[in-house]
Amino acid sequence: MKHTFFGGVHPSGGKELSLAADIRPVEPRRVAIPLLQHIGAACRCVVSVGDSVSLGDVIGVPTGLGAAIHASVSGTVRTIEERPHVGGTLVESVVIENDFCGHTRLLPPLADRSGETVMQRIAEAGIVGMGGAAFPTAVKVQGAVGKADTLIANGCECEPYLTADDVLLTTAPRQVLRGLELLRRAIGPKRAVLAVEDNKKTAIEGLRPCMADFPDIELCILPTRYPQGSEKQLIRAVTGREAAAGELPVSVGCAVFNVSTCAAICAAVEEGRPLTQRIVTVSGEAVARPGNYRVPLGTSFRDLLEAAGGLQVTAHRVVSGGPMMGLSQTDLSVAVVKATNAVTCLTQQQSGTGDRCIRCGRCVAACPMYLQPLYLYRFDDRPRELRRLHLTDCIECGCCSYICPARLPLTERFRAAKRRMKEAGA
Amino acid sequence: MKLTHGSSPHIRTTQTAAHLMGPVLLALLPALAVGVWQLGFTALWVTLCCTAAAVAAQWLCSGGRSGADGSAAVTGLLLAMTLPPTLPLWLAAAGGAFAVVAGKQLWGGLGRNVFNPALTARAAMLLCFPRAMTDYHTADAVTSATPLHQMALHDLPHEGVLELFLGLCHGSVGEISTLALLLGGVYLVWRRVISWRIPVSYLATVAVLTLVLFRSDDPLRWMLSQLCSGGLVLGAVYMATDYTTSPVTPRGRLLYGVGCGALTVLFRYTGIFPEGVTYAILLMNGLTWAIDRATPPRRFGVKKGASG
């Protein structure tokens, strides 16, 4: 049976900018590794200034919900201080001077690949959801065992400009599939799906011949539409089920993992490699050499952009993540973290917000959560109306703002209204 | 180089409101061409006067700043399409200006009016100048009844269904060719400027009601003649789909179309004018907000019928 999700938009790609190139390594002189790179509490630092560390050494251990953090280069700990974080707050970070010796300390490869040991390894390797949410993966796996009948690897990458997952699927399809197979054995679902949008032609061509070696995994090609990669919409597209607002995927029997997360699990189990680096798309019209880069975690945006040829004079906005949901950054000393899938560099757009609603209804047709953005916007100062219109169902995907011909700041207003309602309720 | 902060999304579609008006003007041209060809150049002069007056009024109202978003041109052209081809030009111009000023600007401008501006003006003109607005004499001064006038007397029109469909008959400037109007409508739906829901539910309702409540010995021809005459298709495709004055929810649009259709038939059968489209749409305009409120989309993750 074929399913899909409602609404959505087709923001024109920008993907071709970064797609052609191979993955280029970045070797920064120093990294500043934030001790909070996941949903949950910050890690406790276990190194001190002056320590020498190898790549892969644990530098932070979780204190509650969280995931371990490892040194991403070998060298000497210079300082431990609070530094600006992509999330806009200050986070304690470990600054390591790179000695470029490349001393690496890996965990032993896992021989016993039972669910329990794999789960433990995922935790040891500090793996979190790499699609952007950064939820600790081990906790998610644990919650899915016995409850999820459908396991989905998310290779949609529906944000414009982003190609990190695409390039990963093209260059290392088997690593992703082996990681997914490990998850499948740990969770034990009836169905395991690798979901990819149909605009990733090369990746799909490369995946097809591999599928024969993974008889329990099905390749699901979905018609390209934003926000297909959003968890709720992807579950809808693959299974036809809907997880209501505030409900986890497991409430409808699903568990969703990003393909980068799958690849990281494979590396952790087979090579004993903790999560210390990731592929980051650096793209947009405002950067000299768009492409995909293999980046040690903790590398500053400034160093990464320098490796990509630097920003153009036309640069207007630097975004951590994609242009639809990413966070704008003005301080380029912030570091690449586990969930940083892209740094998007945009030039000035035609003048932004303005005008008034003409009631064209495009926002209603585009909202993948069946909301009526024009009325949410109109009543944005009336909490009772906002509750009636289910403001809190909004996933802030940005479709309404993107499509609005009057260029109303819809998503922005909803974000603010949600914050106000939360404060009033608390 | 100065980096800025901003709320996501950081990119926007390049389609602005002005981009939506162009296709509407384009879609109306074939029907207008048939009108001019069939009814003579007086139809063109009426159209030009009415549209130009609307654009000029918009320009004056905005202190010379706008008028470029195309909405005034659409309003003026839509009104012109409903006018008799021999209407005095001063009246056409006054109507166009009235549509923009009283139909839109006095409400607060684009997006604020409750009633369709073109139809507001048409309704006012019908009340103030009933004779001029229903005088369909031809250029050579021969008065001839429009198909709708004939049907108001419970007679089938002289013209065959095919003639009505193609526009080989008498009537308002841009209303006569159903074929041309439908082609424009298909184009607008294809370009996603309008949704199919309102025109389809509107026309289907009229079709069903006139077929059931036929008033001649040939129900099918009666129904088709009703569909192809007067301002029905122009109203269903171009007037009832006006963004500002029609519902936005999918179910609301269907309901609104059904309401327009039912009222059109009611007014055509019982009203003092042969045409019912104008007042049917205006009345439903007034219910737009209530319809939207009554037809919220189903909530994500909540099954139909469940509360939430």
Side-chain angles (χ1 to χ4, degrees):
Chain A
M1 195 159 100
K2 259 204 141 10
H3 301 290
T4 185
F5 69 95
F6 174 86
V9 292
H10 294 94
S12 50
K15 291 192 187 260
E16 66 289 344
L17 286 176
S18 57
L19 202 50
D22 351 324
I23 308 174
R24 304 179 202 135
V26 175
E27 291 178 355
R29 278 211 307 278
R30 58 171 60 196
V31 292
I33 305 172
L35 289 168
L36 178 63
Q37 301 189 32
H38 46 253
I39 288 177
C43 285
R44 182 167 52 81
C45 184
V46 291
V47 289
S48 3
V49 175
D51 284 1
S52 108
V53 292
S54 299
L55 193 164
D57 278 348
V58 174
I59 58 171
V61 295
T63 57
L65 181 65
I69 287 168
H70 305 75
S72 58
V73 296
S74 73
T76 315
V77 176
R78 284 293 168 217
T79 50
I80 298 168
E81 59 185 12
E82 293 208 319
R83 296 175 70 100
H85 188 258
V86 282
T89 53
L90 289 174
V91 170
E92 189 176 39
S93 306
V94 177
V95 180
I96 304 172
E97 188 91 33
N98 191 348
D99 62 9
F100 295 100
C101 293
H103 288 303
T104 306
R105 205 185 319 269
L106 298 181
L107 300 157
L110 267 193
D112 166 23
R113 299 194 178 164
S114 65
E116 201 56 43
T117 52
V118 167
M119 228 180 304
Q120 201 181 338
R121 173 54 59 93
I122 291 172
E124 280 171 338
I127 296 172
V128 303
M130 292 168 76
F135 189 82
T137 302
V139 181
K140 199 190 232 182
V141 175
Q142 202 143 34
V145 175
K147 290 192 195 120
D149 62 8
T150 308
L151 169 64
I152 304 171
N154 184 353
C156 293
E157 197 165 46
C158 54
E159 278 258 10
Y161 294 97
L162 270 57
T163 55
D165 290 347
D166 191 350
V167 166
L168 172 70
L169 286 167
T170 306
T171 55
R174 285 173 188 279
Q175 196 186 351
V176 173
L177 286 164
R178 287 204 299 274
L180 179 56
E181 180 65 19
L182 286 166
L183 281 171
R184 193 186 68 79
R185 292 194 187 164
I187 295 172
K190 288 202 197 81
R191 189 177 171 213
V193 178
L194 171 56
V196 184
E197 281 195 340
D198 62 5
N199 58 358
K200 297 170 189 44
K201 298 259 186 306
T202 324
I204 292 168
E205 260 170 52
L207 277 167
R208 287 205 191 279
C210 304
M211 298 313 293
D213 301 337
F214 299 90
D216 297 316
I217 297 175
E218 64 183 277
L219 180 62
C220 186
I221 315 283
L222 300 164
T224 299
R225 183 156 39 113
Y226 178 87
Q228 188 110 245
S230 154
E231 213 164 49
K232 288 181 191 303
Q233 277 59 43
L234 182 59
I235 290 170
R236 180 80 170 78
V238 172
T239 68
R241 303 174 198 164
E242 291 184 353
E247 278 181 13
L248 293 173
V250 77
S251 70
V252 290
C254 290
V256 183
F257 298 87
N258 183 267
V259 286
S260 296
T261 315
C262 295
I265 291 170
C266 177
V269 170
E270 294 184 359
E271 304 165 39
R273 189 176 288 281
L275 180 56
T276 62
Q277 57 173 30
R278 64 160 299 144
I279 303 175
V280 180
T281 300
V282 181
S283 192
E285 287 76 15
V287 67
R289 282 204 305 272
N292 283 288
Y293 294 81
R294 196 176 297 281
V295 187
L297 301 177
T299 303
S300 72
F301 277 28
R302 184 172 290 114
D303 289 346
L304 175 56
L305 288 170
E306 213 163 274
L311 285 174
Q312 312 274 35
V313 284
T314 51
H316 177 68
R317 189 162 290 176
V318 171
V319 178
S320 164
M324 292 299 286
M325 289 192 78
L327 297 170
S328 62
Q329 308 290 331
T330 52
D331 181 350
L332 296 182
S333 70
V334 295
V336 169
V337 293
K338 292 172 182 176
T340 310
N341 47 10
V343 177
T344 311
C345 309
L346 301 169
T347 52
Q348 171 100 56
Q349 282 232 319
Q350 300 142 281
S351 60
T353 63
D355 285 325
R356 54 175 60 157
C357 178
I358 57 170
R359 290 182 45 89
C360 67
R362 276 172 165 59
C363 53
V364 179
C367 179
M369 295 304 288
Y370 311 129
L371 299 175
Q372 303 169 71
L374 79 165
Y375 288 118
L376 288 169
Y377 182 79
R378 185 169 187 109
F379 297 129
D380 96 317
D381 53 349
R382 284 154 68 176
R384 244 188 67 200
E385 288 294 304
L386 294 179
R387 263 192 295 278
R388 180 178 70 79
L389 294 163
H390 307 303
L391 172 69
T392 48
D393 285 9
C394 172
I395 57 171
E396 300 177 22
C397 63
C399 285
C400 51
S401 290
Y402 174 82
I403 204 72
C404 179
R407 298 177 178 278
L408 301 176
L410 298 163
T411 313
E412 184 177 353
R413 286 280 190 90
F414 304 158
R415 204 172 279 136
K418 275 162 87 173
R419 203 177 317 122
R420 280 201 309 273
M421 273 174 79
K422 204 168 174 183
E423 279 161 12
Chain B
M1 182 178 73
K2 169 115 177 56
L3 294 181
T4 57
H5 267 305
S7 192
S8 68
H10 306 286
I11 52 171
R12 297 296 192 98
T13 174
T14 50
Q15 273 222 336
T16 61
H19 286 96
L20 301 174
M21 299 303 171
V24 177
L25 294 174
L26 192 63
L28 285 168
L29 288 184
L32 180 63
V34 175
V36 173
W37 181 60
Q38 183 71 15
L39 307 171
F41 273 97
T42 52
L44 187 61
W45 307 139
V46 166
T47 307
L48 288 178
C49 281
C50 185
T51 311
V55 173
Q58 170 88 28
W59 189 77
L60 286 173
C61 281
S62 59
R65 270 176 294 113
S66 82
D69 68 8
S71 67
V74 168
T75 299
L77 182 56
L78 277 176
L79 173 62
M81 305 274 286
T82 71
L83 300 176
T86 49
L87 194 75
L89 294 185
W90 68 267
L91 186 50
F98 184 84
V100 166
V101 175
K104 197 161 63 178
Q105 294 307 119
L106 288 182
W107 291 85
L110 184 64
R112 295 288 168 85
N113 49 299
V114 170
F115 300 101
N116 184 310
L119 292 180
T120 304
R122 183 180 153 76
M125 290 161 83
L126 268 176
L127 293 176
C128 300
F129 306 95
R131 187 164 303 161
M133 286 294 287
T134 51
D135 177 11
Y136 286 89
H137 70 265
T138 49
D140 44 11
V142 180
T143 306
S144 68
T146 64
L148 211 53
H149 277 97
Q150 299 167 49
M151 283 190 283
L153 305 169
H154 299 200
D155 261 341
L156 280 168
H158 305 307
E159 295 86 352
V161 170
L162 188 64
E163 283 172 303
L164 291 178
F165 184 69
L166 295 175
L168 306 175
C169 59
H170 210 59
S172 299
V173 169
E175 292 179 351
I176 55 176
S177 175
T178 304
L179 173 66
L181 289 168
L182 284 180
L183 282 178
V186 169
Y187 169 73
L188 290 182
V189 171
W190 172 66
R191 291 287 310 271
R192 298 188 178 216
V193 173
I194 60 170
S195 130
W196 59 269
R197 287 190 167 80
I198 291 172
V200 169
S201 59
Y202 192 159
L203 294 174
T205 304
V206 172
V208 169
L209 288 179
T210 52
L211 190 63
V212 175
L213 309 171
F214 59 89
R215 288 184 161 184
S216 82
D217 42 15
D218 187 346
L220 190 63
R221 190 173 156 208
W222 173 261
M223 180 263 270
L224 291 172
S225 300
Q226 282 283 348
L227 283 178
C228 293
S229 55
L232 180 60
V233 174
L234 182 72
V237 176
Y238 302 89
M239 305 274 199
T241 54
D242 171 40
Y243 290 149
T244 304
T245 58
S246 64
V248 296
T249 64
R251 281 189 299 148
R253 284 176 168 169
L254 289 176
L255 188 61
Y256 172 86
V258 170
C260 286
L263 288 175
T264 298
V265 174
L266 178 72
F267 293 158
R268 274 190 177 181
Y269 277 22
T270 63
I272 51 164
F273 295 111
E275 183 54 290
V277 171
T278 304
Y279 294 104
I281 295 177
L282 284 173
L283 207 71
M284 292 307 290
N285 285 162
L287 295 176
T288 286
W289 279 62
I291 291 175
D292 265 351
R293 214 183 153 96
T295 56
R298 174 176 72 83
R299 195 176 178 191
F300 191 94
V302 177
K303 294 276 167 296
K304 269 177 197 154
S307 64

